[in-house]
Every structure is written in C-alpha cells, then in structure tokens.
Amino acid sequence: MRVTRAEPVLVHAAGDVPAADEYYFLSNLDQNVAVLMKTVHVFSPSRARDDAAAVIMDALGRVLVHYYPFQGSLVVSADDGRLSVRNDRRGVPFVVADADCELKEVGDVVLSAPDAAAVQEQLVFVGRSNSEEKEDDELGAPLLSVQVTRFRCGGFVLGLAMNHCLADGVAAAEFLRSWAEMARGVPLSSPPFLDRTVLRARTSPTVAFPHEEFAEMEDVSGLAGLREEPRVHRAFAIDADRLARLKRQACACSTFVALTAFVWRATSRAMRMRPEQKSKLMFAVDGRWRVDPPLPRGFCGNAVVFACCVSTAGDLLGGPVSAAARWIQDAIRRTADAFIRSAIDYVEVDGGRAPSMTATTLVTAWNRLGFHAADFGWGEAAQSGPAELPRGEVVMFMRDVRDGSIVVLLGLPRSCIVAADEQNIIGNFHDQTYIPYKYKADFNDNNY
C-alpha cells in the first residue's frame, strides 16, 4: 500500500472557548504517560460518504470549543519538571490522504495485515514539524493529530495520534464520541469536565500503601539479556466457549480476571523465570467511580491507576490459575479511594518516577472502551483499535467486532516465543485449544 498525503491544515476551535489560564494543569496521573496513543478507525465503503473528510474536519473545529486544551502545546516547567499544557491555540494538524488500493487489499489494519506496522505508519500522522526530531520526543509533536485516508473502494480510515497525557482510554473514547456527535449535529451526550485539580495531590502527601507497581523487581533470571532480542508478536482470538472454559478453571466471575490470570502465568512461563524470581502483574483500574466523591461525569484526563500483584514464579506457576485469579480480585478490591489518593501522593513525593517493568506483565484492556461506537453520520466503524503493536511487556485485550471474540495481542523475545510454541504455553488452555490461523499473526521485528 502506498499513501499520498496532502499538506496538513491546522484546525482550531471554531468559536469562543472558555476563559482559561495560560497553563492547563495536568495531574500526577497524567505525568507518567506522555506518549503518543495511536488509533485507527475503519469505515467500510457501504457506509462512507464522499465528503467524509470535510465533515470530520468541520466537526473537529466545533468539538475543540469544548476540548480546547487539545489544541495547545505540551511544555515542561523549568521549576519542578512537571508537564502542563500551554493554551497557545497551536492547533490540531489535519491531513487528508489517498491510498492506491482498496481496503480489502490491506486486510485487518488493526491486527493481522502481513505488514501491519508499515500499513499503520501510513495511516497515522504524528504531526511533527521537524522530521529530524527524535521519535520519542513527544514535546515535539502536537497533542492531537488527525489523518483521513481515502481508499479507492470508497471506504476510509480515520487515524489519530493523541498524547496519552490528555486522556486515558475512557476519556479518549468519549472525545471521539463527542466529535462524532458534532458531525451529526446533536448536543454532546457527555460534555467534558476539564478541571483536573480534583486529582491534585493532598496538601500533606500521605503514602499509605507500599505501591509495588513502582517497585523494582530484582532480576535473578537473566531477563535483561532478553531485551536485546527482536520481539515476535502474536494475536489470539478467544471465543465465548473458550472464555467460559477458562473462567471455570479460574473460578472467576469476570472475563478480565480469568484471562489476565492465564496471561500472567503464560508470559511468566514463556520468559523462563526461575522459581525464586518475583513476577509482577500490573493492570489499569478506572478510578472514576472509586474515589470519594466520584469524579464528575465526563471527567477528561487520566483517571486510572495501576493495580499490582507480585508473586514468585514458583508460587504463580506451581499453583492453579484460580489462585492467580484470587490475587487479581484482591488487587481490584484494594483499589479504592485511599489507595488512589496514596498513589497520587506517591508520585508527588517520588518526583514522578515511572513504574519499573522488570519481570512485569502489563495488561491493558481495550475491549470495553467502545471506540468503534462513534457514529459520524454513516454508522459505527467496521474496525477500531490501536495502530501500534504493544511494546515491551504490554499485553492488549481487544474485541473483534465481527464475532465478539476477545483478541489477545502480545509480544515476547524471539527465543521465548519459540519456547512457548514448542511447549504450547500460550495456545494451550489445558485442552489443546485451537487458534484459527486467520487470527494468528506472526509479526517479526526484522520486517519493519
């Protein structure tokens, strides 16, 4: 696939925005996630409109009136090193592009295109003004960039690059739905609540929990050497019957808990951790309704904290999957107001150090965010999801909108994935579960 991009146009709020300070406050939960979150949203030819790009761009200007920080610039304070948004009306780069093929020729742009990384790179515009800027220099990129790529069949892909410090998955999905409502000419069903000071650290910060999510796990298994290996990525689709069997094995009432317990054990085994190696599991928990009082409806920002479980690999792999599931349930129950306030204060006291990822599995669940539900006037997206393969220790859960199955996308060092294949560590649900080939993608880092 070859994509030709037109020159970007800067889109600004199409109307008066509320009076605001020069700098927009970002909470401690926003500070450690200043990375670009790239997503793609595929609209099929049967529902697309010829003027889709114009409709989307016009609606963007109108929704920015409500989400005015999204058109600003990310800056770092010289005094304390904190991130904030300068309300300078920098604007949102908007690019219209044309592909030289039909959508069906590309395949599944979210999961299983043979050259997925190359395809996704052409569908998302990061909006850097200087092509020589370092790829990880997020201060050099706009907070939000948009690309609409038109295909010969009439379908198109909406590609977004949004700085994660602006929004977690819930807030990003609400922004997309609000944008779509502007396109349809209807009032916002959930106007954004932009005041993030409700998650400010306490005047006298109090760290009341150990917060093992930030703790460094001693490497006694030689895991550091595996970081030099290329990663191989796999996507597995798990249908309702297989999920039901797994939930029975885990004795868990939640699909998330059962699947997370299985993945934590599988990745720890695949990484060949020694029995005495401490293995850490981290996963995001939405704190919107867990703080007291709950956050206002439409809260726009990062409201998730990382729940954490730590076990020796020996205990984790020597016990049943139901034991791991119980630990996960306990961690979820601990994530109440006191824990969340303590986590915010921990970042205040510690200076914003990012969580350690040694011997860690980090699970992020996209399957309930509802990105695909945004209707710009021609129906929901046929596909919607991340436009990047997971990095490092991250495991993604997504929902296949075609059949409702849960897709698990993960990457492991090459030697670990080979060992996992030989022992059927990942594919084995204790009953030789069959993974259909069309849902199994082997992405080799050497190919992109």
Side-chain angles (χ1 to χ4, degrees):
M1 182 185 76
R2 181 172 298 176
V3 170
T4 303
R5 291 185 175 120
E7 286 297 314
V9 175
L10 285 177
V11 178
H12 299 88
D16 295 332
V17 302
D21 296 333
E22 180 181 3
Y23 294 97
Y24 176 68
F25 174 80
L26 297 178
S27 80
N28 286 350
L29 299 184
D30 303 314
Q31 296 294 316
N32 285 331
V33 289
V35 297
L36 289 182
M37 179 170 52
K38 302 174 186 177
T39 59
V40 287
H41 313 272
V42 183
F43 294 90
S44 62
S46 61
R47 294 188 173 185
R49 286 171 43 175
D50 293 339
D51 62 345
V55 171
I56 291 172
M57 184 166 65
D58 177 73
L60 176 60
R62 285 184 281 131
V63 81
L64 286 175
V65 173
H66 304 276
Y67 288 85
Y68 66 87
F70 285 37
Q71 64 180 347
S73 300
L74 187 64
V75 295
V76 178
S77 170
D79 296 329
D80 56 13
R82 288 184 61 89
L83 295 172
S84 62
V85 174
R86 180 186 290 128
N87 289 314
D88 56 6
R89 290 178 56 88
R90 172 180 181 171
V92 175
F94 191 101
V95 172
V96 178
D98 290 287
D100 65 352
C101 61
E102 298 186 2
L103 271 171
K104 65 181 181 182
E105 298 176 56
V106 180
D108 189 336
V109 300
V110 177
L111 291 175
S112 59
D115 53 351
V119 170
Q120 293 163 351
E121 183 178 351
Q122 296 186 77
L123 296 175
V124 178
F125 179 68
V126 298
R128 300 182 192 280
S129 57
N130 185 345
S131 61
E132 295 182 354
E133 287 184 279
K134 293 182 180 179
E135 184 177 351
D136 58 354
D137 180 15
E138 309 305 353
L139 291 175
L143 289 169
L144 174 65
S145 299
V146 180
Q147 177 174 326
V148 174
T149 305
R150 301 176 296 202
F151 286 77
R152 289 179 175 175
C153 57
F156 70 93
V157 174
L158 173 62
L160 306 180
M162 177 186 293
N163 197 303
H164 208 323
C165 72
L166 282 181
D168 56 19
V170 172
E174 286 190 349
F175 166 73
L176 191 62
R177 287 193 291 271
S178 295
W179 185 0
E181 288 169 343
M182 288 286 98
R184 300 201 313 274
V186 300
L188 297 189
S189 58
S190 181
F193 181 87
L194 298 176
D195 183 6
R196 305 188 187 198
T197 61
V198 294
L199 290 180
R200 189 189 294 274
R202 289 171 285 199
T203 305
S204 298
T206 304
V207 180
F209 294 82
H211 293 291
E212 291 180 302
E213 65 270 27
F214 294 97
E216 183 78 26
M217 299 291 104
E218 182 183 0
D219 181 3
V220 300
S221 302
L223 301 175
L226 296 175
R227 295 173 187 166
E228 305 302 319
E229 293 187 20
R231 286 193 170 252
V232 177
H233 289 83
R234 294 284 177 84
F236 300 91
I238 306 170
D239 62 22
D241 290 340
R242 298 183 181 98
L243 283 173
R245 289 197 294 271
L246 182 57
K247 289 169 70 173
R248 287 195 295 270
Q249 293 166 6
C251 301
C253 59
S254 161
T255 295
F256 174 82
V257 169
L259 194 53
T260 300
F262 172 79
V263 167
W264 182 23
R265 285 162 47 91
T267 54
S268 297
R269 182 177 286 113
M271 294 289 285
R272 302 190 292 274
M273 293 184 184
R274 295 175 61 87
E276 65 272 23
Q277 174 69 57
K278 286 188 176 181
S279 176
K280 180 165 65 174
L281 169 72
M282 293 169 55
F283 54 94
V285 175
D286 186 359
R288 283 168 172 78
W289 301 104
R290 293 176 177 271
V291 293
D292 186 16
L295 295 181
R297 185 170 181 263
F299 175 82
C300 182
N302 287 277
V304 300
V305 294
F306 287 111
C308 178
C309 303
V310 176
S311 169
T312 64
D315 288 343
L316 175 63
L317 302 177
V321 67
S322 58
R326 286 195 299 273
W327 299 337
I328 294 168
Q329 290 173 321
D330 290 343
I332 294 173
R333 282 191 287 268
R334 285 196 301 271
T335 312
D337 180 73
F339 180 90
I340 295 170
R341 299 294 178 183
S342 177
I344 293 170
D345 288 352
Y346 183 97
V347 176
E348 188 77 9
V349 172
D350 192 65
R353 178 168 56 89
S356 167
M357 299 303 290
T358 302
T360 297
T361 298
L362 173 58
V363 172
T364 175
W366 288 62
N367 54 304
R368 293 185 177 180
L369 295 178
F371 276 107
H372 69 279
D375 180 2
F376 286 85
W378 42 80
E380 296 182 355
Q383 289 180 270
S384 190
E388 286 186 313
L389 296 170
R391 300 178 181 179
E393 299 79 3
V394 177
V395 179
M396 291 181 177
F397 295 168
M398 294 178 289
R399 184 174 297 278
D400 191 323
V401 297
R402 294 167 294 189
D403 59 11
S405 62
I406 301 296
V407 179
V408 178
L409 182 60
L410 56 81
L412 289 171
R414 182 191 299 279
S415 63
C416 296
I417 207 75
V418 169
D421 283 344
E422 291 174 349
Q423 301 174 45
N424 205 21
I425 290 173
I426 299 175
N428 186 1
F429 284 79
H430 304 289
D431 60 353
Q432 299 298 313
T433 299
Y434 170 67
I435 305 297
Y437 177 78
K438 67 175 181 176
Y439 293 117
K440 187 173 180 179
D442 187 342
F443 299 111
N444 188 314
D445 280 8
N446 290 335
N447 292 333
Y448 54 86

